[in-house]
Amino acid sequence: MVKIAPSKYKANLECIEKLYTNHPYYQWFLKLKCGSCGEVSEKFHDLTEAEKIPQKHNRSETNLLIKCKLCSRENSMDVIEGSNGQYTNNDVGKFKTIVIFDCRGVEPVDFEPKSGWIAEAEDDGKKFEDVDLTEKEWVDYDEKNQTSVGVYELEWKFIKVK
Ligand code: ZN
């Protein structure tokens, strides 16, 4: 059975036109729950779309391969190619899907945004290449348009689809 969990994000943007990840090199830090025994991993695991790990039992590759500490089941997870989206100033106040994961045996229960985000300022302003959203907010200054820019109140949720 293949389970897909898209994650949705919501944020407030100040003079930022769009916000997106450094796809496909962005590292998604996720806390995962084992579908077999319900164990939630203590630490955050990371997966990157550009990084493929070979699987032992078949020839396919995956972005994340983890063995559950409690029931020893091997689970895997992938970023679905082309699922990366952009959060724009038209989306403010709304949740929007910016990535979809293909989860096999695990599901994400928590997320750490960390760094690796890209923010483009409004009115053809500055492009900020490595935005750190660890604190769920970020503030900077666009010298080009002489205005402060920022991302605030970042929220997310995971939604299952069939
Ligand atoms: Zn387990």
Side-chain angles (χ1 to χ4, degrees), residues 115-159:
S115 56
W117 296 79
I118 297 165
E120 292 182 23
E122 283 175 350
D123 303 318
D124 206 16
K126 190 175 167 180
K127 185 177 175 183
F128 297 86
E129 299 275 1
D130 191 15
V131 172
D132 188 338
L133 288 173
T134 304
E135 302 297 329
K136 294 172 194 161
E137 60 176 34
W138 163 84
V139 185
D140 211 318
Y141 189 77
D142 179 2
E143 298 92 0
K144 213 169 148 188
N145 286 339
Q146 299 190 337
T147 180
S148 59
V149 294
V151 175
Y152 308 95
E153 297 159 31
L154 183 69
E155 290 175 49
W156 55 83
K157 59 182 177 183
F158 299 108
I159 290 175

Side-chain angles (χ1 to χ4, degrees), residues 34 36-39 68 70-73:
C34 175
S36 294
C37 68
E39 173 81 352
C68 176
L70 201 66
C71 72
S72 303
R73 197 175 126 157

